Amino acid sequence: AGLEALQRAAQAALLRAASEEHPAALEILAASVETRINSRMFVMPGKMGVLVVNVGYGTTWGEWRSRLQLYAEWLDTIVADDPGVMVVLADGLDVIFGGCDEATFLERYMA
Protein backbone atom coordinates (compact mmCIF):
# COMPACT_ATOMS: atom_id res chain seq x y z
CA ALA A 1 0.00 0.00 0.00
CA GLY A 2 2.88 2.38 0.75
CA LEU A 3 4.43 1.98 -2.70
CA GLU A 4 1.07 2.50 -4.42
CA ALA A 5 0.45 5.71 -2.45
CA LEU A 6 3.90 6.95 -3.37
CA GLN A 7 3.27 6.17 -7.05
CA ARG A 8 -0.08 8.01 -6.98
CA ALA A 9 1.53 11.03 -5.31
CA ALA A 10 4.32 11.06 -7.89
CA GLN A 11 1.80 10.79 -10.73
CA ALA A 12 -0.25 13.68 -9.32
CA ALA A 13 2.88 15.84 -8.97
CA LEU A 14 3.92 14.98 -12.52
CA LEU A 15 0.51 15.92 -13.88
CA ARG A 16 0.51 19.23 -11.94
CA ALA A 17 3.96 20.10 -13.30
CA ALA A 18 2.92 19.12 -16.82
CA SER A 19 -0.24 21.20 -16.69
CA GLU A 20 1.80 24.23 -15.62
CA GLU A 21 4.24 23.62 -18.48
CA HIS A 22 1.47 22.98 -21.05
CA PRO A 23 -1.55 25.11 -20.01
CA ALA A 24 -3.38 24.36 -23.28
CA ALA A 25 -3.61 20.67 -22.39
CA LEU A 26 -7.11 19.34 -21.90
CA GLU A 27 -8.47 18.73 -18.41
CA ILE A 28 -9.33 15.27 -19.66
CA LEU A 29 -6.49 12.89 -18.92
CA ALA A 30 -4.91 11.29 -22.00
CA ALA A 31 -2.73 8.19 -21.74
CA SER A 32 -0.83 5.90 -24.04
CA VAL A 33 1.49 2.92 -23.82
CA GLU A 34 4.51 4.07 -25.79
CA THR A 35 7.59 1.92 -25.16
CA ARG A 36 9.68 3.44 -27.97
CA ILE A 37 10.49 6.65 -26.07
CA ASN A 38 12.09 7.25 -22.70
CA SER A 39 9.69 9.86 -21.37
CA ARG A 40 6.90 9.81 -18.78
CA MET A 41 4.84 12.23 -20.87
CA PHE A 42 4.77 13.47 -24.44
CA VAL A 43 2.82 16.01 -26.43
CA MET A 44 0.42 14.49 -28.94
CA PRO A 45 0.93 16.06 -32.36
CA GLY A 46 -1.92 18.21 -33.58
CA LYS A 47 -3.59 21.56 -33.30
CA MET A 48 -3.47 21.99 -29.50
CA GLY A 49 -0.80 19.46 -28.60
CA VAL A 50 -2.51 17.37 -25.92
CA LEU A 51 -0.24 16.22 -23.12
CA VAL A 52 -0.22 12.41 -22.86
CA VAL A 53 0.83 10.32 -19.86
CA ASN A 54 3.10 7.55 -21.11
CA VAL A 55 1.92 4.45 -19.23
CA GLY A 56 4.60 2.47 -21.10
CA TYR A 57 7.50 4.49 -19.68
CA GLY A 58 10.31 2.22 -18.54
CA THR A 59 8.76 -0.95 -19.97
CA THR A 60 9.55 -3.07 -22.98
CA TRP A 61 7.02 -4.18 -25.54
CA GLY A 62 5.77 -7.70 -24.96
CA GLU A 63 2.64 -8.67 -26.79
CA TRP A 64 -0.64 -6.83 -27.33
CA ARG A 65 -1.96 -8.06 -23.97
CA SER A 66 0.88 -6.30 -22.16
CA ARG A 67 -0.57 -2.96 -23.28
CA LEU A 68 -3.95 -3.86 -21.80
CA GLN A 69 -2.34 -4.97 -18.54
CA LEU A 70 -0.39 -1.72 -18.23
CA TYR A 71 -3.53 0.32 -18.90
CA ALA A 72 -5.52 -1.67 -16.33
CA GLU A 73 -2.91 -1.27 -13.60
CA TRP A 74 -2.48 2.44 -14.29
CA LEU A 75 -6.24 3.09 -14.41
CA ASP A 76 -6.67 1.36 -11.03
CA THR A 77 -4.32 3.92 -9.45
CA ILE A 78 -5.94 6.88 -11.24
CA VAL A 79 -9.54 6.06 -10.31
CA ALA A 80 -8.50 5.36 -6.72
CA ASP A 81 -7.72 9.08 -6.45
CA ASP A 82 -10.58 10.38 -8.61
CA PRO A 83 -13.33 7.89 -9.55
CA GLY A 84 -14.98 10.44 -11.85
CA VAL A 85 -11.92 11.29 -13.93
CA MET A 86 -12.36 11.22 -17.71
CA VAL A 87 -9.53 9.32 -19.39
CA VAL A 88 -8.78 8.97 -23.08
CA LEU A 89 -6.64 5.99 -24.04
CA ALA A 90 -4.84 6.59 -27.31
CA ASP A 91 -2.38 4.74 -29.45
CA GLY A 92 1.18 6.08 -29.25
CA LEU A 93 3.03 8.67 -31.27
CA ASP A 94 1.07 7.94 -34.44
CA VAL A 95 -2.10 9.71 -33.22
CA ILE A 96 -2.86 13.34 -34.07
CA PHE A 97 -5.29 15.51 -32.11
CA GLY A 98 -7.68 17.48 -34.29
CA GLY A 99 -7.99 20.38 -31.90
CA CYS A 100 -11.57 20.77 -30.68
CA ASP A 101 -12.03 22.36 -27.27
CA GLU A 102 -12.80 20.28 -24.20
CA ALA A 103 -16.52 21.13 -24.19
CA THR A 104 -16.90 19.92 -27.79
CA PHE A 105 -14.88 16.80 -27.05
CA LEU A 106 -17.14 15.91 -24.11
CA GLU A 107 -20.31 16.80 -26.00
CA ARG A 108 -19.40 14.44 -28.84
CA TYR A 109 -18.41 11.72 -26.41
CA MET A 110 -21.73 11.97 -24.56
CA ALA A 111 -23.79 12.01 -27.79
Side-chain angles (χ1 to χ4, degrees):
L3 180 59
E4 289 177 9
L6 183 60
Q7 288 173 331
R8 284 195 302 272
Q11 182 74 31
L14 183 63
L15 291 172
R16 278 194 304 278
S19 66
E20 290 169 6
E21 185 177 335
H22 298 280
L26 293 175
E27 294 292 322
I28 299 167
L29 192 54
S32 180
V33 174
E34 182 54 70
T35 58
R36 297 172 289 184
I37 60 172
N38 189 28
S39 178
R40 293 183 189 276
M41 303 189 102
F42 61 91
V43 176
M44 184 182 293
K47 185 175 179 184
M48 291 175 56
V50 173
L51 194 62
V52 180
V53 176
N54 184 9
V55 179
Y57 172 76
T59 64
T60 56
W61 180 252
E63 56 181 283
W64 66 271
R65 287 183 216 156
S66 62
R67 174 184 297 221
L68 300 177
Q69 184 64 37
L70 288 167
Y71 276 140
E73 292 169 3
W74 180 77
L75 286 168
D76 283 344
T77 64
I78 295 301
V79 298
D81 288 336
D82 184 359
V85 67
M86 176 72 71
V87 178
V88 173
L89 302 178
D91 203 5
L93 294 169
D94 53 352
V95 173
I96 296 174
F97 181 65
C100 65
D101 61 24
E102 184 175 309
T104 303
F105 186 90
L106 288 172
E107 178 183 312
R108 302 249 171 100
Y109 171 76
M110 299 299 224

